[in-house]
Amino acid sequence: MNHIYSGLTDKSRFALTDFNCASFSERLGKGNNYKIIWARQGNITIGIDGYQIIVKKNHVLLCSPLNILDIEPHTEGAISFIFSKEFYNLWDYTGKLSFQDYLFQGALILPLVRLNEADTQNFELLFKLFKKEFERKDRFQGEMLMVLLKKLLIMFKRMVNNRCENDEIPNRASTVIGEFSYLVETHFRNKHQVTDYAELLHKSPKTISSIIKKHTKKTALSFINERILIEARRLLLFSDKTSEEIAYNLGYSEPGNFSKFFKKNVGTSPTQFRKRVFTPVT
C-alpha cells in the first residue's frame, strides 16, 4: 500500500503507506517530512538516529523531519502517515505556536505513544477514512486529507493532555514544558544555556528549572545537553563532516570545547566514537 497526495508544489506532500516493499526509503520520503508510524499488527523494530528501538503493537512513534529512520525492507504490520511541513502549516493564524509543534519533540514529550482500546478503534476508523479519501480524485481531496490529519493530531493532543492529567501536571506547567521543548528543538544549535530559553519564555531561569525538575525528574540543562548530543551522534554517524565542522554546526566557537562536552557526556571523544562505531570487530 502506498498512497501519495501532492499539492500545488512538489513540497506539499502527504502519504499513507506501509513498509511491505523492497525500498523503505521510497516510503519514508525525503525532505522535511513528519512521520507517524503505527505498529498496527505486531511489534516492529526501527532504527532511529543510530539506535534500535522496538515499537510494540498498537504503539505509535512520532518523528520530526530531523529524525533519521531505518526500517528493514518488507517490514509487515506497520502503517505510516507522512506529511511535509508545506502540507501542514504548523503555525496558527495568530502566528503563535500550535500544539502540533510540541507533539513531535522528543526531548520532553516522549514521541512513543501507547494506544488504549478506544484509541485503537479511533485509529482504525481514521485509517479507513484516509484510505477511502485516497480513492477519490477530485479537487477537494487535499482539503479532506488536511481535515483528517488535523483530527489525527488532535487525538494525539488529547492523549498527551490525559497523560499530563494522570501525572498530575498542572496546565501551566504543561504549557511551560511544551514551549521549552519546542524552543530547545528550534535553537539548540546556538543556545546552550537555560538563561537563553528563560529570556525567550519571559520567565526566570529558576522558574523554568523548578517546573521541569519537578515534573520530569530531569534538569532543564540536561534536556538541552541531550538534544545537542542527539544531533552530534547523528552527524557523526550519518554525515562525513569532521568533528570540527560538527562543533561549529552545533554552535561551539572552539572545537575543543565541543570535544570536552561530548567526552564528558558520552565517555569518548567524537573522533573515537565514530571510529568505534565503524570499526569492524575481529
Side-chain angles (χ1 to χ4, degrees), residues 148-164:
L148 292 174
L149 178 58
K150 285 185 178 182
K151 183 176 179 63
L152 182 65
L153 294 175
I154 288 172
M155 281 175 54
F156 280 116
K157 174 59 177 176
R158 286 173 172 166
M159 291 178 202
V160 171
N161 281 351
N162 289 337
R163 183 171 64 187
C164 290

Side-chain angles (χ1 to χ4, degrees), residues 11-281:
K11 292 183 178 181
S12 180
R13 183 174 183 270
F14 178 86
L16 175 66
T17 186
D18 58 23
F19 298 102
N20 189 17
C21 58
S23 177
F24 59 81
S25 61
E26 293 180 5
R27 298 295 202 249
L28 291 175
K30 298 179 180 179
N32 295 323
N33 292 321
Y34 291 84
K35 306 169 187 72
I36 301 173
I37 300 176
W38 171 29
R40 185 182 180 218
Q41 298 176 352
N43 299 351
I44 59 173
T45 301
I46 295 178
I48 179 169
D49 301 327
Y51 295 92
Q52 292 287 318
I53 67 170
I54 295 177
V55 182
K56 295 182 179 180
K57 181 180 179 180
N58 284 330
H59 282 62
V60 179
L61 181 68
L62 305 175
C63 302
S64 79
L66 293 176
N67 295 127
I68 297 177
L69 301 185
D70 183 18
I71 300 176
E72 285 295 321
H74 302 294
T75 294
E76 297 184 353
I79 299 296
S80 185
F81 306 85
I82 304 171
F83 58 98
S84 65
K85 285 184 177 181
E86 290 77 13
F87 180 78
Y88 192 94
N89 184 5
L90 295 179
W91 297 79
D92 67 11
Y93 70 93
T94 63
K96 297 179 181 179
L97 299 179
S98 63
F99 67 76
Q100 288 87 351
D101 296 295
Y102 307 143
L103 293 176
F104 293 89
Q105 315 309 328
L108 295 176
I109 299 174
L110 291 176
L112 194 61
V113 179
R114 180 181 65 84
L115 305 180
N116 60 30
E117 186 175 348
D119 296 330
T120 301
Q121 291 176 358
N122 288 333
F123 239 73
E124 287 285 356
L125 177 60
L126 266 178
F127 173 59
K128 291 177 182 178
L129 290 174
F130 272 112
K131 286 186 66 177
K132 186 174 182 179
E133 190 56 43
F134 270 109
E135 294 172 1
R136 305 177 67 93
K137 301 294 182 182
D138 58 30
R139 62 191 181 93
F140 301 110
Q141 186 185 56
E143 293 180 55
M144 282 301 299
L145 290 173
M146 177 75 73
V147 169
L148 292 174
L149 178 58
K150 285 185 178 182
K151 183 176 179 63
L152 182 65
L153 294 175
I154 288 172
M155 281 175 54
F156 280 116
K157 174 59 177 176
R158 286 173 172 166
M159 291 178 202
V160 171
N161 281 351
N162 289 337
R163 183 171 64 187
C164 290
E165 290 172 3
N166 292 336
D167 292 340
E168 297 182 348
I169 301 179
N171 288 337
R172 174 178 172 272
S174 178
T175 299
V176 171
I177 291 171
E179 291 178 345
F180 177 76
S181 178
Y182 175 79
L183 290 172
V184 169
E185 186 68 26
T186 305
H187 300 290
F188 71 88
R189 290 181 181 85
N190 50 40
K191 296 185 184 298
H192 298 171
Q193 302 301 321
V194 178
T195 51
D196 297 328
Y197 297 95
E199 183 177 348
L200 292 174
L201 290 169
H202 305 292
K203 298 183 184 300
S204 71
K206 184 177 180 180
T207 297
I208 294 172
S209 298
S210 176
I211 290 174
I212 291 175
K213 179 69 173 179
K214 180 178 179 180
H215 296 292
T216 70
K217 310 305 179 186
K218 290 186 178 182
T219 66
L221 182 60
S222 71
F223 281 114
I224 299 170
N225 290 343
E226 285 175 13
R227 187 62 189 88
I228 296 171
L229 288 169
I230 287 173
E231 187 68 9
R233 291 191 189 98
R234 179 185 293 123
L235 291 172
L236 286 167
L237 291 173
F238 301 108
S239 79
D240 57 1
K241 294 180 182 293
T242 65
S243 59
E244 289 81 7
E245 289 173 326
I246 292 172
Y248 294 132
N249 185 266
L250 294 175
Y252 289 87
S253 57
E254 294 293 335
N257 292 335
F258 166 68
S259 184
K260 290 178 183 178
F261 165 79
F262 191 91
K263 187 171 184 178
K264 178 181 177 181
N265 288 277
V266 179
T268 183
S269 71
T271 302
Q272 291 171 332
F273 173 82
R274 174 178 272 167
K275 187 180 298 184
R276 184 181 64 189
V277 170
F278 292 106
T279 300
V281 178

